[in-house]
Amino acid sequence: MATVVAVAATTVTIGTVVAPTAPAATYAAGAATTVARLTGPGSINDTPGRYNIYGTDLGTMWDNGRGEILAAFGDTQTFNGWSLLYGQLWYWQSNALLRSTDRNLSDGMTFTSHAGPPRQAKRLLKPDLRKEITIIPTAGVAANGRQYMSVMSVKHWGQPGVWYTNWSGLVASDDNGNNWRALNAFRPNGGGNKKFQMTAFLKVGDTVYTYGTPDGRFGAVYVARVNAKDIENLGAYDYFSYGNWVRGNPSAATPVMPAPTGEMSVAYNSYLGKFISLGQSDNGVVMRTADDPVGPWTSGELVVPMNNPLTGYAPFIHPWSQGSTLYFTYSVSVGYQVYLMRLPLRRD
């Protein structure tokens, strides 16, 4: 018979830890809707003509601390002609970065510059094809006068929603995202570090919270924290475990949000006076709220039903999205583009 222990409002069955939940709450005033397509032919940004981006996904965003939003994209389709020699129309360059100063999101998000030479959003990080298929950014944050990204090394793509990573790690830029270098802050896909193969950042004062999930879209969510000045030192991270913080031991981390959760983002919303999480589930996008970065988080409300839009995934909150409308990027695999979405909010 399993032993059941109650700890800080969490029911713990030996071998299985269930994330605590706050009382049910409804803050969405309706379903999310599409504002504009941000990438690809015919998009509001003409990314083929301006950046040589014909298709891409993700668009994880953060405030660079200098009045700009940096948006990092995943595997990106460009055209260079050489790929035709290999029987492929598009050149698959892995990652890219665009910038925006647009604060009026009601008609979409316009991009104002990019990392790379004129008319070419360059590849930020080159994968080692002997070991990995691609390197994909999953989160970004500004700290210590630098830009940081968390990236994952994809080893193998499986069935929809399933992929396998070699590691996740931190990379840094000292020139506003133009050039990136790897740091000695890698998390191999094993042991406790398996819980942090994909991440989302939340900066509160001098503290950076890292929300982690395993590779794929079917794991629970865990959280770590570190003083921003120590973000490059994995040994300085604390991991939330049964209501307490444990230094330097990711294996101790217990869930703060339940499975299945895939690509996710977290932000503070001043209109609601709460922290908001958007995460991909097997039913679509779920929004959760909490009064504290570690929760307890609500059980969540479905704000984007599965396949509406068709094949949608990866909701990333726009950092400047405040007031009664929440804006976020959302990707579609059929057509392989990134859209801006809006979600109306309501207070109690």
Side-chain angles (χ1 to χ4, degrees), residues 200-220:
F201 289 134
L202 171 70
K203 190 177 180 184
V204 181
D206 292 329
T207 300
V208 176
Y209 292 88
T210 300
Y211 298 83
T213 61
D215 40 4
R217 295 185 183 138
F218 300 103

Side-chain angles (χ1 to χ4, degrees), residues 11 38 58 76 98 105 117 168 170 179 194-195 216 226 233 235 300:
T11 300
L38 303 182
L58 303 187
T76 301
L98 304 180
L105 304 176
S168 67
L170 277 179
N179 297 285
K194 185 174 180 61
K195 302 173 182 178
V226 69
N233 178 13

Side-chain angles (χ1 to χ4, degrees), residues 164-204:
Y164 305 93
T165 57
N166 295 300
W167 48 262
S168 67
L170 277 179
V171 297
S173 171
D174 292 312
D175 57 6
N176 200 29
N178 280 303
N179 297 285
W180 296 85
R181 58 184 176 85
L183 302 172
N184 186 22
F186 291 95
R187 296 182 182 272
N189 189 8
N193 282 322
K194 185 174 180 61
K195 302 173 182 178
F196 292 87
Q197 290 302 293
M198 299 178 63
T199 62
F201 289 134
L202 171 70
K203 190 177 180 184
V204 181

Side-chain angles (χ1 to χ4, degrees), residues 31-32 280 283-286 301-306 308-309 328 330 341:
Q280 193 70 36
N283 294 319
V285 177
V286 171
E301 27 183 335
L302 188 66
V303 295
V304 184
M306 181 60 70
N308 185 20
F328 59 97
Y330 201 48
M341 305 282 289

